[in-house]
Short mmCIF file of all heavy atoms in Angstrom, two decimals:
data_model
loop_
_atom_site.label_atom_id
_atom_site.label_comp_id
_atom_site.label_asym_id
_atom_site.label_seq_id
_atom_site.Cartn_x
_atom_site.Cartn_y
_atom_site.Cartn_z
N LEU V 4 -77.80 18.98 -123.43
CA LEU V 4 -77.59 20.35 -122.93
C LEU V 4 -76.37 20.41 -122.11
O LEU V 4 -76.10 19.41 -121.36
CB LEU V 4 -78.89 20.65 -122.11
CG LEU V 4 -80.21 20.68 -122.80
CD1 LEU V 4 -81.32 20.98 -121.83
CD2 LEU V 4 -80.26 21.73 -124.01
N ALA V 5 -75.81 21.57 -122.02
CA ALA V 5 -74.68 21.74 -121.09
C ALA V 5 -75.16 21.54 -119.69
O ALA V 5 -76.29 21.84 -119.28
CB ALA V 5 -74.16 23.23 -121.20
N ILE V 6 -74.34 20.95 -118.77
CA ILE V 6 -74.67 20.51 -117.46
C ILE V 6 -75.27 21.62 -116.72
O ILE V 6 -76.19 21.43 -115.91
CB ILE V 6 -73.48 19.88 -116.71
CG1 ILE V 6 -73.96 19.20 -115.49
CG2 ILE V 6 -72.47 20.95 -116.45
CD1 ILE V 6 -74.90 17.97 -115.73
N ASP V 7 -74.97 22.90 -116.87
CA ASP V 7 -75.49 23.98 -116.06
C ASP V 7 -76.56 24.71 -116.76
O ASP V 7 -77.07 25.69 -116.31
CB ASP V 7 -74.38 24.90 -115.63
CG ASP V 7 -73.61 25.51 -116.78
OD1 ASP V 7 -73.83 25.09 -117.95
OD2 ASP V 7 -72.83 26.40 -116.56
N ASP V 8 -77.01 24.23 -117.92
CA ASP V 8 -78.04 24.89 -118.78
C ASP V 8 -79.44 24.76 -118.16
O ASP V 8 -80.07 25.72 -117.87
CB ASP V 8 -78.00 24.43 -120.19
CG ASP V 8 -78.71 25.44 -121.14
OD1 ASP V 8 -78.95 26.62 -120.74
OD2 ASP V 8 -78.90 25.03 -122.32
N PRO V 9 -80.01 23.50 -117.97
CA PRO V 9 -81.27 23.48 -117.34
C PRO V 9 -81.23 23.97 -115.84
O PRO V 9 -80.34 23.62 -115.09
CB PRO V 9 -81.63 21.95 -117.35
CG PRO V 9 -80.54 21.20 -117.86
CD PRO V 9 -79.35 22.20 -118.21
N ARG V 10 -82.21 24.69 -115.41
CA ARG V 10 -82.35 25.21 -114.05
C ARG V 10 -83.26 24.32 -113.28
O ARG V 10 -84.12 23.77 -113.72
CB ARG V 10 -82.95 26.52 -114.05
CG ARG V 10 -82.42 27.60 -115.04
CD ARG V 10 -81.26 28.29 -114.50
NE ARG V 10 -80.74 29.53 -115.15
CZ ARG V 10 -79.91 29.51 -116.18
NH1 ARG V 10 -79.50 28.35 -116.67
NH2 ARG V 10 -79.45 30.60 -116.69
N PRO V 11 -82.81 24.04 -112.02
CA PRO V 11 -83.78 23.31 -111.16
C PRO V 11 -85.12 24.01 -111.05
O PRO V 11 -85.11 25.26 -111.05
CB PRO V 11 -83.03 23.24 -109.78
CG PRO V 11 -81.61 23.66 -110.02
CD PRO V 11 -81.69 24.56 -111.36
N SER V 12 -86.12 23.31 -110.83
CA SER V 12 -87.48 23.86 -110.73
C SER V 12 -87.47 24.49 -109.26
O SER V 12 -87.19 23.86 -108.26
CB SER V 12 -88.53 22.88 -110.78
OG SER V 12 -89.81 23.40 -110.35
N PRO V 13 -87.95 25.77 -109.15
CA PRO V 13 -88.10 26.35 -107.86
C PRO V 13 -89.18 25.79 -106.99
O PRO V 13 -89.20 26.02 -105.78
CB PRO V 13 -88.44 27.86 -108.17
CG PRO V 13 -89.06 27.80 -109.47
CD PRO V 13 -88.45 26.67 -110.25
N THR V 14 -90.09 24.98 -107.53
CA THR V 14 -91.11 24.35 -106.81
C THR V 14 -90.85 22.97 -106.32
O THR V 14 -91.69 22.39 -105.56
CB THR V 14 -92.43 24.35 -107.60
OG1 THR V 14 -92.24 23.74 -108.83
CG2 THR V 14 -92.91 25.83 -107.90
N ARG V 15 -89.74 22.32 -106.75
CA ARG V 15 -89.42 20.95 -106.27
C ARG V 15 -89.03 20.99 -104.80
O ARG V 15 -88.39 21.95 -104.39
CB ARG V 15 -88.33 20.43 -107.18
CG ARG V 15 -88.64 20.28 -108.67
CD ARG V 15 -89.67 19.28 -108.89
NE ARG V 15 -88.97 17.94 -108.90
CZ ARG V 15 -89.45 16.90 -109.35
NH1 ARG V 15 -90.57 16.85 -110.01
NH2 ARG V 15 -88.79 15.87 -109.21
N CYS V 19 -84.98 16.88 -103.60
CA CYS V 19 -84.39 16.75 -105.03
C CYS V 19 -83.24 17.65 -105.18
O CYS V 19 -82.35 17.41 -105.98
CB CYS V 19 -85.58 17.17 -106.02
SG CYS V 19 -86.89 15.92 -106.01
N ARG V 20 -83.24 18.78 -104.57
CA ARG V 20 -82.14 19.74 -104.71
C ARG V 20 -80.93 19.50 -103.99
O ARG V 20 -79.85 19.67 -104.41
CB ARG V 20 -82.61 21.16 -104.40
CG ARG V 20 -83.59 21.80 -105.38
CD ARG V 20 -83.87 23.29 -105.05
NE ARG V 20 -84.35 23.59 -103.77
CZ ARG V 20 -85.67 23.51 -103.47
NH1 ARG V 20 -86.53 23.16 -104.31
NH2 ARG V 20 -86.00 23.73 -102.28
N VAL V 42 -82.59 9.68 -119.54
CA VAL V 42 -82.60 11.18 -119.84
C VAL V 42 -83.29 12.01 -118.75
O VAL V 42 -84.11 11.58 -117.96
CB VAL V 42 -83.29 11.33 -121.23
CG1 VAL V 42 -82.53 10.63 -122.33
CG2 VAL V 42 -84.72 11.00 -121.19
N CYS V 43 -82.95 13.28 -118.79
CA CYS V 43 -83.62 14.23 -117.93
C CYS V 43 -84.70 14.82 -118.73
O CYS V 43 -84.73 14.81 -120.00
CB CYS V 43 -82.66 15.35 -117.57
SG CYS V 43 -81.28 14.82 -116.42
N MET V 44 -85.78 15.24 -118.06
CA MET V 44 -86.94 15.91 -118.76
C MET V 44 -86.97 17.39 -118.38
O MET V 44 -86.83 17.71 -117.21
CB MET V 44 -88.19 15.22 -118.49
CG MET V 44 -88.38 13.84 -118.98
SD MET V 44 -90.04 13.24 -118.69
CE MET V 44 -89.99 12.93 -116.94
N VAL V 45 -87.06 18.25 -119.48
CA VAL V 45 -86.98 19.63 -119.23
C VAL V 45 -88.20 20.31 -120.01
O VAL V 45 -88.77 19.68 -120.91
CB VAL V 45 -85.69 20.29 -119.65
CG1 VAL V 45 -84.52 19.79 -118.91
CG2 VAL V 45 -85.39 20.12 -121.08
N PHE V 46 -88.43 21.57 -119.59
CA PHE V 46 -89.36 22.34 -120.53
C PHE V 46 -88.83 23.70 -120.49
O PHE V 46 -87.87 23.99 -119.82
CB PHE V 46 -90.80 22.37 -119.91
CG PHE V 46 -91.02 23.19 -118.61
CD1 PHE V 46 -91.69 24.43 -118.79
CD2 PHE V 46 -90.59 22.81 -117.38
CE1 PHE V 46 -91.87 25.22 -117.64
CE2 PHE V 46 -90.78 23.59 -116.31
CZ PHE V 46 -91.47 24.78 -116.39
N VAL V 47 -89.35 24.51 -121.51
CA VAL V 47 -88.87 25.92 -121.64
C VAL V 47 -89.78 26.72 -120.82
O VAL V 47 -90.94 26.79 -121.00
CB VAL V 47 -88.78 26.29 -123.07
CG1 VAL V 47 -88.47 27.83 -123.20
CG2 VAL V 47 -87.94 25.46 -123.96
N ASN V 48 -89.21 27.45 -119.78
CA ASN V 48 -90.04 28.17 -118.83
C ASN V 48 -90.46 29.52 -119.51
O ASN V 48 -90.10 29.90 -120.61
CB ASN V 48 -89.37 28.34 -117.44
CG ASN V 48 -88.12 29.27 -117.54
OD1 ASN V 48 -87.83 29.96 -118.39
ND2 ASN V 48 -87.34 29.15 -116.48
N LYS V 52 -85.88 29.83 -120.62
CA LYS V 52 -84.76 28.97 -120.12
C LYS V 52 -85.22 27.63 -119.89
O LYS V 52 -86.38 27.32 -119.64
CB LYS V 52 -84.17 29.47 -118.82
CG LYS V 52 -83.76 31.01 -118.77
CD LYS V 52 -82.44 31.23 -119.59
CE LYS V 52 -81.96 32.47 -119.53
NZ LYS V 52 -80.82 32.69 -120.36
N TYR V 53 -84.33 26.58 -120.02
CA TYR V 53 -84.73 25.29 -119.71
C TYR V 53 -84.85 25.02 -118.26
O TYR V 53 -84.02 25.52 -117.46
CB TYR V 53 -83.66 24.27 -120.24
CG TYR V 53 -83.60 24.22 -121.73
CD1 TYR V 53 -82.43 24.70 -122.39
CD2 TYR V 53 -84.57 23.59 -122.57
CE1 TYR V 53 -82.39 24.71 -123.79
CE2 TYR V 53 -84.45 23.54 -123.87
CZ TYR V 53 -83.32 24.14 -124.57
OH TYR V 53 -83.30 24.08 -125.88
N GLU V 54 -85.81 24.35 -117.85
CA GLU V 54 -86.13 23.99 -116.43
C GLU V 54 -86.38 22.55 -116.31
O GLU V 54 -87.14 21.98 -117.06
CB GLU V 54 -87.30 24.83 -115.92
CG GLU V 54 -87.38 24.82 -114.42
CD GLU V 54 -88.40 25.90 -113.95
OE1 GLU V 54 -88.34 27.05 -114.29
OE2 GLU V 54 -89.39 25.39 -113.22
N LEU V 55 -85.72 21.96 -115.29
CA LEU V 55 -85.78 20.52 -115.02
C LEU V 55 -87.22 20.15 -114.54
O LEU V 55 -87.78 20.91 -113.65
CB LEU V 55 -84.81 20.07 -114.08
CG LEU V 55 -83.38 19.88 -114.55
CD1 LEU V 55 -82.42 19.88 -113.36
CD2 LEU V 55 -83.29 18.76 -115.49
N ILE V 56 -87.76 19.09 -115.09
CA ILE V 56 -88.91 18.50 -114.59
C ILE V 56 -88.51 17.33 -113.85
O ILE V 56 -89.02 16.94 -112.77
CB ILE V 56 -89.92 18.03 -115.75
CG1 ILE V 56 -90.39 19.29 -116.49
CG2 ILE V 56 -91.08 17.18 -115.17
CD1 ILE V 56 -91.18 18.93 -117.79
N ASP V 57 -87.60 16.55 -114.32
CA ASP V 57 -87.07 15.29 -113.66
C ASP V 57 -85.55 15.24 -114.11
O ASP V 57 -85.30 15.40 -115.24
CB ASP V 57 -87.85 14.05 -114.28
CG ASP V 57 -87.31 12.77 -113.66
OD1 ASP V 57 -87.33 12.68 -112.37
OD2 ASP V 57 -86.93 11.92 -114.38
N GLY V 58 -84.79 14.91 -113.05
CA GLY V 58 -83.30 14.74 -113.30
C GLY V 58 -82.40 15.57 -112.43
O GLY V 58 -81.35 15.72 -112.76
N GLU V 59 -82.95 16.18 -111.32
CA GLU V 59 -82.16 17.02 -110.51
C GLU V 59 -80.91 16.29 -109.94
O GLU V 59 -79.84 16.79 -109.91
CB GLU V 59 -82.96 17.54 -109.36
CG GLU V 59 -83.97 18.59 -109.83
CD GLU V 59 -85.37 18.11 -110.18
OE1 GLU V 59 -85.45 16.81 -110.28
OE2 GLU V 59 -86.29 18.82 -110.29
N MET V 60 -81.19 15.05 -109.46
CA MET V 60 -80.06 14.27 -108.87
C MET V 60 -78.99 14.02 -109.95
O MET V 60 -77.76 14.15 -109.68
CB MET V 60 -80.45 13.05 -108.24
CG MET V 60 -79.39 12.45 -107.42
SD MET V 60 -79.85 10.97 -106.43
CE MET V 60 -81.21 11.55 -105.63
N ARG V 61 -79.33 13.63 -111.16
CA ARG V 61 -78.41 13.31 -112.20
C ARG V 61 -77.59 14.55 -112.62
O ARG V 61 -76.45 14.51 -112.68
CB ARG V 61 -79.09 12.76 -113.47
CG ARG V 61 -79.40 11.24 -113.26
CD ARG V 61 -80.41 10.77 -114.39
NE ARG V 61 -81.64 11.32 -113.97
CZ ARG V 61 -82.85 11.10 -114.65
NH1 ARG V 61 -82.72 10.58 -115.85
NH2 ARG V 61 -84.02 11.51 -114.16
N GLN V 62 -78.24 15.70 -112.58
CA GLN V 62 -77.61 16.99 -112.92
C GLN V 62 -76.61 17.28 -111.76
O GLN V 62 -75.47 17.68 -111.95
CB GLN V 62 -78.59 18.07 -113.11
CG GLN V 62 -77.86 19.43 -113.45
CD GLN V 62 -78.80 20.58 -113.41
OE1 GLN V 62 -79.68 20.67 -112.64
NE2 GLN V 62 -78.58 21.53 -114.37
N SER V 63 -77.08 17.13 -110.53
CA SER V 63 -76.27 17.41 -109.38
C SER V 63 -75.00 16.69 -109.31
O SER V 63 -73.93 17.18 -109.17
CB SER V 63 -77.00 17.22 -108.07
OG SER V 63 -76.29 17.41 -106.92
N ILE V 72 -75.88 16.74 -120.62
CA ILE V 72 -76.74 15.75 -120.21
C ILE V 72 -77.85 15.46 -121.24
O ILE V 72 -78.28 16.54 -121.90
CB ILE V 72 -77.45 16.13 -118.80
CG1 ILE V 72 -77.96 17.57 -118.86
CG2 ILE V 72 -76.45 16.11 -117.72
CD1 ILE V 72 -78.69 17.93 -117.67
N PRO V 73 -78.25 14.32 -121.43
CA PRO V 73 -79.29 13.98 -122.44
C PRO V 73 -80.58 14.45 -121.86
O PRO V 73 -80.92 14.10 -120.73
CB PRO V 73 -79.18 12.54 -122.67
CG PRO V 73 -78.54 11.96 -121.45
CD PRO V 73 -77.69 13.07 -120.87
N CYS V 74 -81.40 15.17 -122.62
CA CYS V 74 -82.67 15.70 -122.17
C CYS V 74 -83.69 15.54 -123.17
O CYS V 74 -83.45 15.68 -124.40
CB CYS V 74 -82.56 17.18 -121.84
SG CYS V 74 -81.45 17.60 -120.49
N ILE V 75 -85.01 15.34 -122.74
CA ILE V 75 -86.06 15.36 -123.56
C ILE V 75 -86.70 16.74 -123.28
O ILE V 75 -86.99 16.98 -122.14
CB ILE V 75 -87.06 14.16 -123.31
CG1 ILE V 75 -86.42 12.91 -123.79
CG2 ILE V 75 -88.35 14.46 -124.07
CD1 ILE V 75 -87.27 11.65 -123.47
N LEU V 77 -89.92 18.80 -123.34
CA LEU V 77 -91.30 18.61 -123.40
C LEU V 77 -92.06 19.94 -123.73
O LEU V 77 -91.58 20.99 -123.11
CB LEU V 77 -91.90 17.97 -122.20
CG LEU V 77 -91.26 16.66 -121.81
CD1 LEU V 77 -91.86 16.27 -120.45
CD2 LEU V 77 -91.62 15.62 -122.85
N ARG V 81 -95.97 25.30 -117.25
CA ARG V 81 -95.41 25.17 -115.89
C ARG V 81 -96.38 24.25 -115.02
O ARG V 81 -96.03 23.31 -114.33
CB ARG V 81 -95.19 26.44 -115.17
CG ARG V 81 -94.86 26.28 -113.70
CD ARG V 81 -94.41 27.50 -113.04
NE ARG V 81 -93.22 28.11 -113.62
CZ ARG V 81 -91.95 27.54 -113.57
NH1 ARG V 81 -91.84 26.47 -112.85
NH2 ARG V 81 -90.99 28.19 -114.13
N ALA V 84 -96.03 20.71 -116.03
CA ALA V 84 -94.72 20.28 -115.55
C ALA V 84 -94.63 19.82 -114.08
O ALA V 84 -94.04 18.89 -113.74
CB ALA V 84 -93.67 21.28 -115.88
N GLU V 85 -95.58 20.57 -113.39
CA GLU V 85 -95.53 20.25 -111.93
C GLU V 85 -96.39 19.07 -111.65
O GLU V 85 -96.45 18.31 -110.72
CB GLU V 85 -95.99 21.42 -111.10
CG GLU V 85 -95.00 22.58 -111.19
CD GLU V 85 -95.46 23.93 -110.59
OE1 GLU V 85 -96.54 24.04 -110.01
OE2 GLU V 85 -94.59 24.85 -110.59
#
Side-chain angles (χ1 to χ4, degrees):
L4 303 176
I6 192 63
D7 59 350
D8 200 13
R10 310 276 194 273
S12 171
T14 58
R15 300 287 286 196
C19 290
R20 289 191 300 274
V42 298
C43 297
M44 290 189 290
V45 300
F46 75 104
V47 179
N48 69 18
K52 303 288 184 187
Y53 292 109
E54 191 171 304
L55 284 165
I56 296 172
D57 180 55
E59 288 91 347
M60 189 176 307
R61 283 168 277 178
Q62 181 190 36
S63 174
I72 53 175
C74 294
I75 294 175
L77 300 175
R81 174 170 299 286
E85 293 174 359

